[in-house]
Amino acid sequence: MITKTKYICALIVVLGMASCYDLDEMSRNPYELADNTTGTEIVDVDDDTKYADINIDYVVSHDDSVALQSELADAPAIFRNFLYEGYYNDYQRATNLTHDIYSAYSANNQPKFAGLSPDYLYQDGWSALRWSHFYVDRCKEYRQLLRALKFNDNAGQYKNLFYATRIYMAFIALANTDTYGDMPFRVYVQGREPETNNVAYDTQEQVYDAMFRMLEQAVDSIQPDDKEQFNVGTDDICYHGDWHQWLRFANTLRLRMALRISNVAPERARQEAEAALNSEYGLMTSNADNMQTVPKYARVEDGGTDDGGNENVFAMISIAYGGELVLSKDMENLYRNLSTGGKEYQVRVGSGRQAKFETYEIDPRCLVCWYRSGMTANTWASGEDNMRGDYVGCVRGTQPPLISLGDILYSTTKTMPKPASKEQDRDYWFNYSRPSVWLGYSESLFLKAEAALRGWTGEDLTMSAEEYFRAGIQASMDYYQIDEADAQAYLDGVVALNDGTFQSGDRERILEAIITHKYMAVFPNGNEGWAEFRRTEYPALANPLVNSSGGDVPEGKFIKRVLYPFSENNNQYFLDSSELQSKNTQGTRLWWDVADTNDDSGNRMKPNNFRE
């Protein structure tokens, strides 16, 4: 396409006067209204600028502009749904039966799911929902928001909301590309609506490049102290219109992405990380900055809608659906073995006069998040834990027996059946109104720990890797409201802080400690846990017992991505690309995943995460 900037003034006239709707993007980029007789004009603008391929570079007709201005009233509601459904939409089928299990945050306990996607057999009826929700639903909402916020008489008033929308688009796009790899992206970033399904794919490297620039542009454009900016209030269910928090989130997200590409593009990773770490707005400063989804079932003042439904997804899957989400054996082992300073608990063994209590220790977060095994319908109804049970994880690939409440052999998330109150009860962490965190303060501290380990610098990087490591564990304990004494005992007993790991000079050994403890803090976000395991090979997870992929994932190997949905067989670009066809297996590594976890015999290989 050729640049037509010099001809815009001759083409665009509304009632005899040129009109310009500009959100002061990083480059000169006029957004003007076409004459009503010409219809919508698509014009390339500023192709030589840094953001040309991600800016809105087209004009709309006068009639379209009038319609878009009338849609401004709907923008808060659209923004709310955009934020709400970004990670939640059809969560069990789109995420829990894949990402959460592939990350080993949970295991399948439902016979009807055995041998299917939890065991690597692609299910288009489930996994394709992730693709369609992103491209059909979220991209539509994104397009509606950007056009309504830009093409109106007071566009400057909506600049912050415009760029917050762009930040969140990059956020959910990250989860999408880390699921599939290459994907159509830049055309959607521009808020375009493709006329056909024949949409070109960007390489994952190009997708990351576009996301980095979206975040950079947004941070440089948002004016957090401008009191004239439109504020969506509680319809911003993440930050209630606090633009400083949006900026800290954007910088933290940029650092997460920089570390993701550190093995494949170390210099670009360093540049992006140091830009985030040197931003005047900084990174997350407390758990109040956590990026999260507030269930609609939550109190209205917390961001809920009081509509009587749409509860916390982890509560629903674990209890309301009959105990389908259970603790994995990998997680149980990590709860037990990462620190010698766990919290004591007792298990009753024997009966009658022979009964006695045996004392064990475990990560205090396990007691907050999980019931013990052997829960019954009665104990669930009362919220009382089974004192005869222990915290038991399921080995992934175990073929589950027929289940019902009372027959579950493993630990399920600690959830009280839907209560009348929507107050946050720490004793039942995964209650129906509990927000779900997708990028939190604890993670941001572990990101800084790795950045310091890599020798990156920045004004917001003021401590050593070990100090950030300690702070990350403490922030996770604070999030789960662990008693100060229990949190300190856990920290004092952390193996990696007592065995010379941080004094060894062995960066790979130190990184394993950082990523393993970050993995525990990121739970239950399987999107991130799975991505980081593929990037770093940490923590050291056990091979699943079953591989039902039919050879799509080689035996002895871990799954590396999800297949493109069958609907892409209608995309001629996809069909004509031999490269895309060859990449479309669940055993193919993504761009940033530079090495297999296991060798061809299924044995774990030594990771190498420092390739500068």
Side-chain angles (χ1 to χ4, degrees):
M1 300 177 72
I2 60 173
T3 301
K4 300 181 181 178
T5 306
K6 66 176 69 177
Y7 302 114
I8 285 181
C9 292
L11 292 173
I12 311 304
V13 179
V14 179
L15 300 178
M17 298 178 62
S19 301
C20 181
Y21 301 90
D22 189 358
L23 288 185
D24 297 324
E25 294 188 342
M26 288 293 293
S27 58
R28 176 182 175 274
N29 197 1
Y31 300 93
E32 302 184 277
L33 305 183
D35 187 278
N36 192 35
T37 62
T38 65
T40 300
E41 294 285 342
I42 306 298
V43 180
D44 285 331
V45 180
D46 291 333
D47 280 354
D48 59 341
T49 71
K50 187 174 186 179
Y51 306 110
D53 61 332
I54 61 172
N55 280 341
I56 294 181
D57 64 352
Y58 50 82
V59 295
V60 298
S61 71
H62 177 65
D63 286 348
D64 286 343
S65 174
V66 172
L68 288 169
Q69 291 182 62
S70 70
E71 291 179 7
L72 269 178
D74 298 328
I78 296 172
F79 188 64
R80 166 185 277 272
N81 200 67
F82 181 59
L83 301 181
Y84 183 84
E85 296 290 6
Y87 273 77
Y88 254 29
N89 220 167
D90 279 311
Y91 187 86
Q92 184 183 36
R93 291 179 290 173
T95 304
N96 180 251
L97 292 171
T98 47
H99 302 58
D100 291 350
I101 292 175
Y102 302 159
S103 68
Y105 279 148
S106 60
N108 175 46
N109 192 51
Q110 175 55 263
K112 67 183 179 182
F113 299 150
L116 302 179
S117 65
D119 298 324
Y120 297 177
L121 180 61
Y122 174 74
Q123 298 295 294
D124 196 66
W126 303 343
S127 293
L129 291 169
R130 171 178 282 258
W131 185 273
S132 64
H133 285 316
F134 180 79
Y135 285 107
V136 177
D137 301 321
R138 304 292 81 75
C139 284
K140 177 182 178 181
E141 291 163 346
Y142 171 83
R143 182 168 60 247
Q144 287 176 309
L145 284 166
L146 261 59
R147 292 182 179 187
L149 297 171
K150 181 172 282 294
F151 295 114
N152 67 81
D153 292 320
N154 298 295
Q157 182 182 0
Y158 299 99
K159 181 167 73 170
N160 287 1
L161 184 57
F162 176 95
Y163 281 109
T165 302
R166 299 263 284 187
I167 292 169
Y168 199 78
M169 179 62 164
F171 182 50
I172 59 177
L174 175 65
N176 209 58
T177 188
D178 287 351
T179 297
Y180 301 103
D182 300 352
M183 68 181 200
F185 188 56
R186 284 176 294 182
V187 64
Y188 292 95
V189 170
Q190 294 177 325
R192 297 180 186 274
E193 184 174 10
E195 295 182 1
T196 70
N197 191 51
N198 296 323
V199 184
Y201 279 54
D202 293 312
T203 66
Q204 189 172 36
E205 183 175 9
Q206 291 171 325
V207 172
Y208 263 78
D209 173 68
M211 293 188 298
F212 278 129
R213 288 181 291 129
M214 290 170 72
L215 295 177
E216 177 184 66
Q217 187 185 44
V219 170
D220 288 343
S221 299
I222 287 176
Q223 299 175 354
D225 298 316
D226 182 356
K227 302 303 182 185
E228 301 301 315
Q229 287 294 311
F230 178 74
N231 193 319
V232 291
T234 55
D235 282 315
D236 173 0
I237 59 175
C238 298
Y239 297 128
H240 293 190
D242 186 323
W243 305 119
H244 283 278
Q245 287 187 299
W246 274 102
L247 289 163
R248 292 195 292 270
F249 163 60
N251 287 327
T252 307
L253 176 60
R254 192 175 183 182
L255 180 57
R256 175 199 269 186
M257 290 165 47
L259 286 165
R260 186 85 88 243
I261 67 169
S262 57
N263 283 336
V264 69
E267 182 56 27
R268 177 69 184 271
R270 183 191 62 77
Q271 292 172 1
E272 296 294 341
E274 293 185 348
L277 291 164
N278 282 305
S279 169
E280 63 179 300
Y281 304 112
L283 277 70
M284 291 179 171
T285 58
S286 73
N287 280 308
D289 286 340
N290 292 347
M291 169 53 70
Q292 60 190 19
T293 298
V294 178
K296 293 180 181 179
Y297 184 76
R299 300 181 308 172
V300 173
E301 57 265 36
D302 293 333
T305 58
D306 202 24
D307 66 357
N310 298 286
E311 298 90 348
N312 177 286
V313 292
F314 299 102
M316 295 297 291
I317 297 167
S318 186
I319 302 302
Y321 297 172
E324 294 177 357
L325 181 156
V326 297
L327 178 67
S328 75
K329 179 57 72 172
D330 296 274
M331 280 290 286
E332 181 203 338
N333 291 336
L334 291 169
Y335 278 135
R336 295 190 186 279
N337 298 322
L338 293 182
S339 173
T340 61
K343 184 176 177 62
E344 290 187 350
Y345 66 100
Q346 292 184 321
V347 177
R348 184 177 181 179
V349 295
S351 58
R353 293 182 178 180
Q354 303 300 317
K356 62 179 181 178
F357 286 93
E358 295 183 354
T359 301
Y360 303 94
E361 291 184 358
I362 202 166
D363 186 323
R365 292 170 293 186
C366 181
L367 279 71
V368 172
C369 293
W370 299 95
Y371 280 120
R372 305 186 195 194
S373 62
M375 291 292 287
T376 68
N378 289 335
T379 52
W380 259 315
S382 66
E384 296 178 1
D385 218 333
N386 175 25
M387 297 301 291
R388 291 187 178 277
D390 201 351
Y391 297 98
V392 179
C394 175
V395 176
R396 289 180 299 153
T398 299
Q399 299 307 289
L402 293 176
I403 61 172
S404 63
L405 292 182
D407 293 333
I408 298 176
L409 305 176
Y410 310 105
S411 295
T412 57
T413 58
K414 204 163 190 180
T415 306
M416 187 74 168
K418 188 187 299 186
S421 171
K422 296 182 179 180
E423 298 297 324
Q424 300 297 329
D425 189 337
R426 178 188 174 278
D427 290 335
Y428 307 103
W429 187 261
F430 289 101
N431 60 58
Y432 287 84
S433 58
R434 174 74 62 187
S436 299
V437 176
W438 308 116
L439 199 168
Y441 175 55
S442 179
E443 181 186 344
S444 77
L445 294 168
F446 285 112
L447 295 174
K448 288 182 177 181
E450 184 177 350
L453 178 64
R454 291 184 177 277
W456 297 344
T457 60
E459 292 185 6
D460 203 19
L461 198 65
T462 59
M463 299 193 300
S464 68
E466 180 178 354
E467 289 171 318
Y468 279 120
F469 174 80
R470 289 178 180 270
I473 296 173
Q474 182 63 60
S476 179
M477 295 291 169
D478 292 343
Y479 169 72
Y480 285 108
Q481 302 169 28
I482 304 300
D483 292 341
E484 182 177 351
D486 291 335
Q488 189 60 53
Y490 181 89
L491 263 168
D492 289 344
V494 168
V495 175
L497 292 173
N498 291 285
D499 67 355
T501 291
F502 284 90
Q503 292 74 41
S504 68
D506 184 340
R507 291 194 297 173
E508 200 67 51
R509 179 180 169 186
I510 297 170
L511 182 65
E512 180 175 11
I514 291 171
I515 299 300
T516 301
H517 281 270
K518 181 173 77 168
Y519 173 91
M520 301 302 288
V522 167
F523 168 82
N525 180 8
N527 290 277
E528 187 62 16
W530 185 34
E532 282 296 86
F533 172 68
R534 288 175 288 163
R535 172 179 78 94
T536 66
E537 318 302 349
Y538 300 127
L541 302 177
N543 295 345
L545 296 178
V546 174
N547 179 344
S548 300
S549 69
D552 195 42
V553 178
E555 288 295 328
K557 302 279 190 174
F558 285 93
I559 190 168
K560 292 295 186 177
R561 60 182 293 277
V562 173
L563 294 179
Y564 294 119
F566 297 158
S567 62
E568 284 302 280
N569 288 328
N570 296 320
N571 183 345
Q572 197 61 46
Y573 181 94
F574 175 77
L575 291 177
D576 290 345
S577 173
S578 59
E579 183 178 3
L580 280 173
Q581 297 292 334
S582 66
K583 288 180 178 180
N584 193 28
T585 78
Q586 293 183 118
T588 302
R589 298 193 306 273
L590 301 187
W591 167 64
W592 44 255
D593 184 2
V594 297
D596 274 342
T597 310
N598 293 343
D599 62 22
D600 292 342
S601 298
N603 299 311
R604 179 177 170 81
M605 295 190 291
K606 181 177 175 57
N608 177 12
N609 285 285
F610 297 90
R611 299 167 181 268
E612 297 94 330

